[in-house]
Amino acid sequence: MRRWISCIAVSLSLLSGTAIAADQSTHEAADRWVQIIDQGDFAKSWKEADAGFQANVSELQWTQTLQQIHAQTGKMLKREFKTEDIKSDLPGAPAGKYKIVVYQTAFEKAPQVKETVVLTETKDGSWKVTGYFLQ
């Protein structure tokens, strides 16, 4: 009986470790992607986004939009992770596995911005950005 309980405890700790690692990888993917935007490499952010994102907005439209936003907000000063949520469906998006990462961000000209990055799980198990919103 003790051996069986020990096996369950070990299995649960391994499973929870896997879940934590998966959450860290999506959070890290979101962090890396917004850092590309912070560096001003708007074209690269488009290229590293999900195919669904790329189908909805051209690279030129994306870079022009981010240039306008950057002119209004200025340089990113501070970004603080707030929440991460898991969804299986989103309005206007196909069914799938999504993670929504929310930051509280301060920019030079906009000190209180809610920054939301939506990621989707790809066929190979990696996470790519499929949405980006500022409020």
Side-chain angles (χ1 to χ4, degrees):
M1 181 71 162
R2 281 188 193 168
R3 179 176 246 168
W4 185 72
I5 292 171
S6 296
C7 288
I8 290 174
V10 169
S11 296
L12 289 174
S13 68
L14 290 174
L15 287 173
S16 64
T18 302
I20 290 168
D23 288 345
Q24 287 176 340
S25 70
T26 54
H27 185 134
E28 289 168 1
D31 286 349
R32 281 190 304 273
W33 193 81
V34 293
Q35 288 169 5
I36 292 169
I37 292 174
D38 295 341
Q39 295 164 1
D41 198 346
F42 306 143
K44 183 176 180 181
S45 71
W46 183 87
K47 289 174 186 160
E48 293 197 8
D50 177 64
F53 179 98
Q54 295 171 346
N56 286 320
V57 62
S58 73
E59 182 178 348
L60 179 61
Q61 290 170 318
W62 179 246
T63 57
Q64 288 175 342
T65 299
L66 285 182
Q67 287 168 351
Q68 291 171 356
I69 291 170
H70 186 70
Q72 294 172 3
T73 62
K75 180 181 169 185
M76 191 281 295
L77 301 174
K78 181 181 177 186
R79 177 178 289 117
E80 183 180 336
F81 170 79
K82 286 296 184 183
T83 63
E84 183 174 314
D85 196 15
I86 300 170
K87 299 280 184 184
S88 58
D89 57 13
L90 295 173
K97 191 172 180 183
Y98 299 95
K99 293 224 178 162
I100 302 161
V101 178
V102 178
Y103 301 95
Q104 185 66 43
T105 307
F107 294 95
E108 286 176 317
K109 302 175 190 174
Q112 295 275 347
V113 176
K114 178 181 171 185
E115 192 176 23
T116 304
V117 181
V118 181
L119 299 107
T120 186
E121 188 174 32
T122 63
K123 291 178 185 176
D124 69 1
S126 64
W127 290 89
K128 290 200 166 199
V129 173
T130 194
Y132 179 67
F133 308 95
L134 298 175
Q135 295 176 320

